[in-house]
Amino acid sequence: MTLSTAIAAALASGTVLAQDNGQTANATPTTASNSTTQKGDSNAKNGKSVKSLDQVVVTGSASNAGVRKIDASYQITTATAAQIQQTNPRSAADLLKLSPGVWPESTGGETGANVEIAGFPGGGDAPFYTNQIMGTPLYGMPSLSFFEQSSMFRLDDTIDHVELLQGGPSVVFGDGQIGLTSNYILKQGTDTPSGDIGVTYGTEDLRRIDGFYGFPIGQNTGWYGSVGGFYRDSNGVRNPQYAADKGGQLTATLTKDWDNGSLVFWARGLDDKNQFITPIPLIQDRSGMFSAYPGFNPLTGTYYSSAMQHTYLESYPGGGTNVNLADGRGAQLGFFGVNFDWDFGNGWTVSDKFLVDGGNMDTNALFSGSNPQTLSSWENTGGTYPSGTVPTGAVFNASYINGGGTINNPNLDVISQGLWHIHKNLHSMINDFRISRDLFEGNTLTAGLYLAHYTDDDRWSLGNPMLMTNTPNATPIQVSYVQNGQTYYVTNNKGLIFNGGYNITENGVADNKAFYLSDTWNVGQWIFDASTRVENENARNTVCNLSNVNIDGNANTLYDNSVAMCNGTYSVTDYNKTHTSWTLGATYKLQDDMSLYVRANKGAHFNSFDDMRGNTTGNTPPLLKIQNFQIGYKYTADWLSTDLSFYHRQFNGLSYQPSILGVPIDPGQYSTYGSDTKGLNFTVRATTPDQMFSIAASGDWMDGHYSHFDGDAVFYGLPTSDNPTGEFVSTYEGKQLQRQPKFQVRIMPSLHFTMPHGDLLLWTTMEYVGQHTQDQLALQQLGSYTDFSIGAQYTYNKHWVFTLLGSNVTDELGLTESNSRIAGNATGASGVLLARTLEGHEYNFQVKYQF
């Protein structure tokens, strides 16, 4: 049955089963304020505690009716809209840390986060994360270069709650994600019109307005509507001298309810621009210990400035383009989705989820290059000159751009940063249809068909190193030299040393088809489920071939004399793989509020368009496969909820491509290796009988390392006096999984006071992130850190809500990553390291009226 026929059937007859989406979370305290809840929500009790594991969740369940969390043979975390606010996430990616073992490196700004999941060897981007709205993935592929799915999404008051699922049955349902899936359920209209409007001001000059309104359409028609969104403007904690974050989002829903069914239309428009924060300089005092670089505040500093905001890139494919860094790494996207659920009676149910979306997700940002040095040292490196050596008898001239004056200080601290521009146009259409039949009492069989068609049209201009002062809000520098009476221009008038390093067009188109079967059987105190998925990925990627050209034809402008540009020919890579995934689970109910569960699954991660690029021989990286085993314990009571899960995760198919200075020795040839991880995820929440005090904790301990890496490999890091080429030989075997903390925990105690005219809620969150390493050789250790945030919320007469939030209130200097373009130890002379750190303290205050 197609989506259109399903809608026709719904409109013609008049029976559907509405989803029951509970709201109570086990990760954060219950709010004292009212919140707009979805129809059918029987779990939400404003200001009251409930047994959080009694909540019904739909993510990972074969049935559209969902499953109680305590009955699910997997670990799933949920959070309401109010609890999301209390978490005070820096971005949509930062919220994912509510799921134990998930560590989002969200220090890069609102978008472009790296999402690490314990035991999943990602090492950057977010290949093992899928973002869903109303149960449908936002794009047909988890991530691409300069794109991950949390960047397509912004948090606001239109969210009812979120469900976060790691692995388990997700390897079979939806897009077959083997890692983490977040599923955001939208608020919808209710019989009683209700909503809110809020205004927020933050210490980073944040100005934001939020709103939501849900309402019935007509009298007793069964139709409901809602509309809501936000708009904000902020300079950011790291002020770039223009708006760091600027834009908004608008979401609407239209719902029809019948006695046995529901139909939901939803639409969303997103137009937002965000600063992509570049690593800043630090001093590594010793391994894992860091301090501020002279003149650069690591908590508030940024290289971005108004002086470099506007630049013209000659090397951009198609004839050059103007780049405005204020456009940042943003999103201009449109979404339209339909959810349909139908109960035919006699044990037959149907569910269909459809989503079409598309738009631009461009990147305009600085990317780290080499470590800082003096101006005279940079002039005498020889790396920017055609001969590779410093011209004999050259007399250098350096000045600030835009007539800023001559530089007479040869010891001026300078750095080169890549000014990258990527135009990315994405489109995706996904439909997930499933039909269920109760075969006999306690047994339900579900069959599903998942179809996705998606495209990616890119234009890249990478490299573009820009010389600038090594200071906050840096000023670009232009350099020339005179030799034998002739002037040679080392940079252009914007400080660009080289116009582009990798300037390509990329056009990808793919179809994903999957058929899945799932059977669930309740037998006494046992609940069993078994599911399998057969999936095919068929993709084609077309990339232009490059030839070196002198863009302006002038031999004296050294910055554009040999630039790799598209030459009118193309390389095409075809990719067609089929794989079968499966999962088995069992829950044993010790009693109604206590259960044990076990689960095993095996899934696969298909290649992305970027994995295919340049592999015209068909020797693309191998299919990445995982087998995952879990055993867990759940208990829920009025005063305590806990979910403990021990896991063992094994990967194979990780690929290593031998290369010299980044150039593959044998293109298309890969060596494979794997990883092996054992760990424990935990979530616990306890409250006093009077509910005045509660405490929530979640976290993960893991022991993960790379395995069966055969032989040694050659790597190139920073040159040293003892190793001038930077070359060394090593192996991944037995090394700690990169960018994954061995231990992490988040603890949130809260106090709730009932007052004559309202309620007061106070809380704080302590987040500890343990030892973690930047690189696969575990040479660049990033240490550990402890971060504190605070919150206070007062609800007056159930209508007025006043909320104060503070993040990193102790100004902790914590590192999430260092220079990812340097293998091994990334610390240069005098212990200088380019790295991303936590932002300094930030406070914001919101006044909201609820009605």
Side-chain angles (χ1 to χ4, degrees):
M1 182 183 294
T2 65
L3 174 68
S4 58
T5 57
I7 294 175
L11 294 174
S13 57
T15 41
V16 157
L17 180 65
Q19 281 185 350
D20 181 4
N21 293 307
Q23 284 202 151
T24 304
N26 61 357
T28 51
T30 304
T31 181
S33 65
N34 291 315
S35 62
T36 303
T37 60
Q38 189 171 340
K39 298 181 297 296
D41 182 0
S42 61
N43 287 333
K45 301 179 181 180
N46 295 324
K48 305 296 182 182
S49 70
V50 296
K51 296 180 179 181
S52 64
L53 293 179
D54 279 343
Q55 179 188 344
V56 173
V57 293
V58 295
T59 310
S61 171
S63 169
N64 61 300
V67 60
R68 287 201 314 161
K69 288 172 70 175
I70 198 166
D71 295 337
S73 53
Y74 48 89
Q75 192 169 56
I76 186 167
T77 304
T78 57
T80 67
Q83 292 162 336
I84 290 172
Q85 182 189 42
Q86 291 162 11
T87 304
N88 193 17
R90 298 178 178 91
S91 63
D94 197 44
L95 179 69
L96 304 177
K97 64 189 178 186
L98 289 179
S99 183
V102 177
W103 187 50
E105 297 176 356
S106 54
T107 52
E110 182 83 11
T111 62
N114 301 308
V115 180
E116 299 295 338
I117 307 162
F120 289 79
D125 296 321
F128 307 122
Y129 167 62
T130 292
N131 196 14
Q132 296 182 354
I133 297 181
M134 301 293 284
T136 309
L138 300 189
Y139 187 69
M141 196 170 280
S143 72
L144 299 168
S145 294
F146 311 105
F147 159 76
E148 44 79 32
Q149 289 191 13
S150 77
S151 297
M152 304 178 77
F153 183 85
R154 302 293 186 273
L155 297 166
D156 62 18
D157 282 356
T158 64
I159 302 302
D160 182 81
H161 70 280
V162 62
E163 301 176 355
L164 304 172
L165 170 62
Q166 287 189 49
S170 66
V171 301
V172 169
F173 303 117
D175 64 342
Q177 176 58 261
I178 62 178
L180 174 70
T181 298
S182 64
N183 183 15
Y184 290 90
I185 307 300
L186 298 174
K187 292 178 182 177
Q188 298 164 37
T190 58
D191 287 323
T192 302
S194 59
D196 61 68
I197 185 167
V199 177
T200 305
Y201 179 77
T203 52
E204 75 282 16
D205 204 21
L206 166 69
R207 291 152 294 175
R208 174 170 173 142
I209 183 168
D210 288 84
F212 173 80
Y213 181 55
F215 50 92
I217 299 176
Q219 294 291 327
N220 302 317
T221 65
W223 285 97
Y224 303 89
S226 74
V227 63
F230 79 93
Y231 184 83
R232 63 98 169 76
D233 189 333
S234 170
N235 290 335
V237 176
R238 303 183 187 276
N239 189 344
Q241 299 180 333
Y242 46 80
D245 299 291
K246 187 172 185 177
Q249 179 172 265
L250 186 67
T251 305
T253 69
L254 178 64
T255 305
K256 170 65 175 176
D257 280 352
W258 291 272
D259 291 339
N260 295 328
S262 70
L263 178 65
V264 181
F265 299 94
W266 65 273
R268 168 171 285 197
L270 170 63
D271 189 352
D272 200 24
K273 300 174 181 179
N274 314 102
Q275 178 185 190
F276 184 64
I277 298 171
T278 304
I280 51 91
L282 295 167
I283 299 296
Q284 178 169 284
D285 301 310
R286 60 181 185 274
S287 180
M289 299 294 292
F290 308 92
S291 59
Y293 186 88
F296 217 113
N297 188 325
L299 300 172
T300 61
T302 180
Y303 283 108
Y304 294 94
S305 69
S306 57
M308 66 178 73
Q309 180 180 347
H310 298 280
T311 305
Y312 184 78
L313 293 183
E314 295 179 287
S315 56
Y316 180 75
T321 190
N322 289 301
V323 173
N324 182 357
L325 287 174
D327 291 337
R329 187 168 178 171
Q332 294 79 43
L333 298 167
F335 303 83
F336 175 74
V338 183
N339 280 34
F340 168 71
D341 296 303
W342 189 271
D343 185 351
F344 288 97
N346 297 319
W348 287 95
T349 60
V350 164
S351 176
D352 192 271
K353 297 178 175 65
F354 171 80
L355 174 62
V356 59
D357 56 52
N360 296 327
M361 296 196 68
D362 292 356
T363 295
N364 304 270
L366 298 179
F367 285 79
S368 297
S370 58
N371 282 345
Q373 57 187 311
T374 65
L375 177 60
S376 62
S377 173
W378 181 86
E379 290 173 339
N380 287 281
T381 57
T384 60
Y385 312 116
S387 65
T389 59
V390 181
T392 303
V395 177
F396 287 92
N397 298 293
S399 61
Y400 299 110
I401 68 167
N402 300 329
T406 301
I407 300 173
N408 297 313
N409 179 12
N411 295 318
L412 180 69
D413 207 17
V414 302
I415 192 169
S416 65
Q417 301 276 356
L419 194 155
W420 295 14
H421 174 72
I422 300 94
H423 172 64
K424 182 174 288 289
N425 182 261
L426 302 173
H427 289 88
S428 178
M429 183 167 60
I430 296 174
N431 197 86
D432 190 355
F433 171 81
R434 64 183 69 174
I435 184 169
S436 298
R437 165 66 170 162
D438 294 339
L439 299 181
F440 50 87
E441 185 176 356
N443 186 280
T444 302
L445 180 67
T446 299
L449 181 64
Y450 174 86
L451 300 173
H453 175 78
Y454 50 98
T455 62
D456 173 31
D457 295 320
D458 285 9
R459 301 292 183 271
W460 293 13
S461 182
L462 310 189
N464 304 310
M466 175 183 283
L467 184 65
M468 63 187 71
T469 58
N470 186 41
T471 59
N473 303 128
T475 302
I477 298 170
Q478 53 188 357
V479 177
S480 63
Y481 67 85
V482 177
Q483 184 185 37
N484 299 325
Q486 178 63 54
T487 300
Y488 297 88
Y489 298 91
V490 183
T491 75
N492 71 0
N493 61 358
K494 290 294 185 179
L496 291 178
I497 305 164
F498 183 59
N499 273 110
Y502 192 56
N503 308 292
I504 63 165
T505 62
E506 180 178 53
N507 304 97
V509 58
D511 293 288
N512 184 283
K513 303 173 289 293
F515 174 76
Y516 54 88
L517 281 174
S518 179
D519 189 75
T520 304
W521 192 10
N522 291 263
V523 185
Q525 293 174 276
W526 288 93
I527 304 173
F528 300 98
D529 70 85
S531 307
T532 187
R533 173 190 184 96
V534 179
E535 181 176 7
N536 173 260
E537 177 87 5
N538 189 347
R540 166 168 285 205
N541 198 35
T542 303
V543 181
C544 73
N545 297 317
L546 304 175
S547 296
N548 289 337
V549 298
N550 185 329
I551 294 180
D552 64 1
N554 184 352
N556 297 332
T557 53
L558 307 183
Y559 51 83
D560 66 358
N561 280 355
S562 183
V563 180
M565 302 286 288
C566 292
N567 61 19
T569 66
Y570 299 88
S571 296
V572 179
T573 304
D574 289 312
Y575 180 82
N576 195 331
K577 297 287 185 182
T578 301
H579 184 266
T580 300
S581 301
W582 57 265
T583 183
L584 298 170
T587 299
Y588 181 71
K589 299 294 293 294
L590 297 168
Q591 52 195 49
D592 190 55
D593 56 6
M594 185 185 300
S595 64
L596 295 171
Y597 64 92
V598 295
R599 178 162 296 278
N601 66 43
K602 191 167 186 176
H605 175 76
F606 290 92
N607 281 191
S608 71
F609 293 130
D610 301 295
D611 296 319
M612 306 169 201
R613 189 187 314 117
N615 293 288
T616 56
T617 62
N619 293 324
T620 53
L623 200 64
L624 183 58
K625 301 177 183 179
I626 181 178
Q627 55 185 19
N628 186 10
F629 305 95
Q630 286 179 276
I631 181 169
Y633 168 80
K634 297 181 182 181
Y635 174 71
T636 187
D638 289 335
W639 65 279
L640 177 68
S641 289
T642 182
D643 189 346
L644 309 176
S645 175
F646 175 80
Y647 58 83
H648 184 196
R649 294 167 177 166
Q650 296 171 305
F651 272 77
N652 62 71
L654 296 169
S655 60
Y656 163 73
Q657 189 174 37
S659 62
I660 296 177
L661 296 177
V663 179
I665 297 173
D666 190 357
Q669 298 302 313
Y670 297 88
S671 299
T672 61
Y673 61 104
S675 69
D676 192 288
T677 304
K678 299 179 180 67
L680 175 69
N681 285 338
F682 59 90
T683 59
V684 180
R685 181 178 181 272
T687 184
T688 57
D690 61 2
Q691 300 172 40
M692 178 178 176
F693 175 77
S694 67
I695 186 168
S698 67
D700 168 82
W701 167 87
M702 75 100 182
D703 178 21
H705 59 272
Y706 297 105
S707 62
H708 49 276
F709 189 94
D710 296 329
D712 292 325
V714 177
F715 301 91
Y716 289 85
L718 289 177
T720 65
S721 57
D722 297 330
N723 185 6
T725 66
E727 176 184 313
F728 55 95
V729 177
S730 188
T731 177
Y732 295 160
E733 184 69 24
K735 299 295 195 300
Q736 175 188 348
L737 294 186
Q738 70 176 134
R739 300 166 90 148
Q740 296 200 13
K742 293 182 178 180
F743 178 69
Q744 53 182 319
V745 64
R746 293 162 186 90
I747 301 173
M748 179 185 284
S750 65
L751 287 170
H752 178 204
F753 301 95
T754 300
M755 307 180 77
H757 298 286
D759 296 296
L760 176 65
L761 185 65
L762 306 173
W763 69 92
T764 185
T765 302
M766 186 277 287
E767 177 182 30
Y768 173 78
V769 173
Q771 296 291 329
H772 53 291
T773 178
Q774 167 68 32
D775 61 306
Q776 291 177 294
L777 301 174
L779 295 175
Q780 182 57 63
Q781 294 291 326
L782 299 179
S784 62
Y785 63 83
T786 304
D787 177 24
F788 288 90
S789 63
I790 61 172
Q793 186 175 83
Y794 177 64
T795 304
Y796 178 74
N797 284 342
K798 297 183 179 181
H799 292 295
W800 289 97
V801 183
F802 304 90
T803 306
L804 175 67
L805 298 171
S807 60
N808 195 12
V809 295
T810 59
D811 281 335
E812 175 75 354
L813 180 58
L815 273 64
T816 61
E817 62 177 304
S818 63
N819 193 340
S820 60
R821 273 159 290 282
I822 297 178
N825 185 0
T827 305
S830 303
V832 181
L833 176 73
L834 294 175
R836 280 190 175 131
T837 73
L838 300 179
E839 291 183 333
H841 66 269
E842 173 189 11
Y843 294 91
N844 62 68
F845 179 70
Q846 182 186 68
V847 178
K848 177 180 287 187
Y849 180 74
Q850 299 182 147
F851 54 91

